Amino acid sequence: MQYSVDVILLTYKPEKQVMELIRALEEQTYPIRKIIIMNTEERYFYNLFYGTGFLEKYKNIEIHHLSEKEFDHGRTRAKAVQYSKSDIFVCMTQDAMPVDDQLVRELVGALTGQENIAAAYARQLPLPDCREIEKYTRSFNYPDQSSVKSVADMDRLGIKTFFCSNVCAAYNREIYETIGGFVKKAIFNEDMVFAGHAVTAGYSIAYVAEARVRHSHNYTCMQQFHRNFDLGVSQAEHPEVFAVVSSESEGVKLVKNTIRHLEKTKKWLQIPYLIISSGCKLIGYQLGKHYRSLPSGMVKWCSASKTYWN
């Protein structure tokens, strides 16, 4: 059976890599019916594309603009899904790049290979300029073995049972609608909130190691602090998902394993940075979890998503 597939692509201040991404999507062996671009701030979008004739080459691109004040990780994606009528939709961010032309085919195969799979997410490989610590984090979160996670795995996997990433993830449209879709207000983590709701409703989440994208960041310590503050906020706002299992133990496990990796690879000089950046993550995360006790000005300063609090 041939399933119809749309891709939902979020962009903000896009650079030339977005052109490469669109080309890579158009060259996928599994046909994409429509690429729905949800772009924040129109002026930045046309700074890249105006006068190039690039978008005119393709007849299946649909563009919707919104202001920075209107953007929300949950609501924007939920709105994009309303523009789609496909059996399956794939969510992507502008900084993810397919490794080959099999990405969509692998995601669709995993999503439809057995019943009750609500979402299937891709493996994220580091970019060439990625630092060693981030490279290891990628291998920790995105191993080379595929898996399917359900409520039966919660004792074994903990918070990782709900792990899913909209950097590149495919969704079963029928199940998505049944569960209620993405939350309409989300500072962060809309993908894991959906996965948590899906798993507790009896569905499964597939990790597809064969579906690969290049995606990584070299965040500073303060960027880690702000990002993890928002992570803590998202968990505080969705206790129905995150109060069920603990996130802290997984974080401690990652730090310990990363230290062992740095020792094994003789990159001891990076261990102090790991400890400092991990401390920034932990402080940001704990402040975010207790954001309701903080002054509003401090909350906005701590957050990476300033417009969320307007």
Side-chain angles (χ1 to χ4, degrees):
M1 177 180 175
Q2 185 83 4
Y3 298 90
S4 58
V5 176
D6 288 343
V7 172
I8 294 169
L9 175 61
L10 269 61
T11 61
Y12 175 60
K13 296 184 179 180
E15 299 180 351
K16 287 187 177 179
Q17 180 188 343
V18 173
M19 292 182 174
E20 297 176 28
L21 171 55
I22 292 172
R23 286 193 196 98
L25 291 173
E26 296 287 3
E27 293 171 359
Q28 291 291 302
T29 59
Y30 198 99
I32 295 171
R33 191 178 66 92
K34 185 165 60 171
I35 299 175
I36 301 166
I37 297 177
M38 301 296 288
N39 176 68
T40 303
E41 296 297 343
E42 185 172 356
R43 67 187 184 278
Y44 299 125
F45 189 84
Y46 287 108
N47 283 348
L48 174 65
F49 290 107
Y50 182 76
T52 64
F54 178 84
L55 294 174
E56 288 72 23
K57 295 178 185 177
Y58 307 107
K59 306 301 181 186
N60 65 335
I61 296 178
E62 181 179 306
I63 304 165
H64 301 273
H65 297 289
L66 58 150
S67 69
E68 195 168 354
K69 291 180 180 179
E70 292 174 304
F71 176 81
D72 180 276
H73 284 282
R75 183 174 61 249
T76 299
R77 288 178 171 88
K79 188 173 183 180
V81 175
Q82 294 177 346
Y83 296 129
S84 170
K85 303 299 180 186
S86 62
D87 302 317
I88 293 167
F89 62 89
V90 179
C91 287
M92 293 191 72
T93 57
Q94 67 182 23
D95 55 354
M97 184 62 64
V99 169
D100 54 35
D101 59 6
Q102 300 298 309
L103 173 69
V104 174
R105 184 173 298 279
E106 294 288 357
L107 288 172
V108 171
L111 195 64
T112 60
Q114 65 183 72
E115 293 183 357
N116 291 332
I117 304 289
Y121 65 100
R123 184 182 184 188
Q124 295 182 30
L125 300 175
L127 292 164
D129 67 347
C130 185
R131 291 195 294 249
E132 187 65 28
I133 292 171
E134 178 65 11
K135 282 182 183 178
Y136 182 78
T137 301
R138 282 283 173 269
S139 67
F140 181 85
N141 289 327
Y142 303 95
D144 56 7
Q145 293 294 319
S146 297
S147 61
V148 176
K149 303 172 292 184
S150 70
V151 70
D153 299 299
M154 287 178 61
D155 288 342
R156 179 174 61 89
L157 295 177
I159 191 66
K160 279 224 168 171
T161 313
F162 302 152
F163 189 72
C164 183
S165 176
N166 270 343
V167 165
C168 185
Y171 293 84
N172 179 312
R173 176 60 174 268
E174 184 177 352
I175 295 176
Y176 172 89
E177 300 288 359
T178 299
I179 294 171
F182 297 124
V183 290
K184 303 306 183 288
K185 186 172 176 60
I187 191 170
F188 194 55
N189 250 3
E190 80 295 330
D191 37 22
M192 282 188 69
V193 173
F194 174 86
H197 291 163
V199 168
T200 54
Y203 299 101
S204 299
I205 304 297
Y207 165 60
V208 193
E210 298 77 17
R212 299 170 297 160
V213 295
R214 296 252 175 224
H215 176 262
S216 59
H217 294 285
N218 290 319
Y219 289 124
T220 66
C221 289
M222 284 310 298
Q223 286 173 322
Q224 297 279 23
F225 169 85
H226 294 306
R227 181 177 174 83
N228 278 268
F229 179 85
D230 290 354
L231 174 63
V233 170
S234 74
Q235 294 197 9
E237 292 187 337
H238 293 282
E240 79 283 3
V241 173
F242 297 105
V244 178
V245 287
S246 171
S247 300
E248 286 85 346
S249 58
E250 193 66 20
V252 171
K253 180 181 176 182
L254 173 58
V255 173
K256 288 181 177 178
N257 286 4
T258 306
I259 289 175
R260 293 191 193 101
H261 170 75
L262 293 175
E263 290 174 339
K264 184 178 179 180
T265 55
K266 296 181 170 55
K267 293 182 170 63
W268 299 289
L269 293 178
Q270 295 191 35
I271 293 176
Y273 175 79
L274 171 66
I275 293 171
I276 294 169
S277 64
S278 298
C280 290
K281 286 182 181 180
L282 179 61
I283 293 169
Y285 171 71
Q286 290 294 343
L287 286 172
K289 283 188 71 174
H290 300 93
Y291 80 95
R292 292 186 179 94
S293 302
L294 303 177
S296 59
M298 184 178 179
V299 167
K300 195 167 185 178
W301 182 85
C302 288
S303 177
S305 307
K306 310 299 184 187
T307 58
Y308 181 81
W309 305 100
N310 292 339

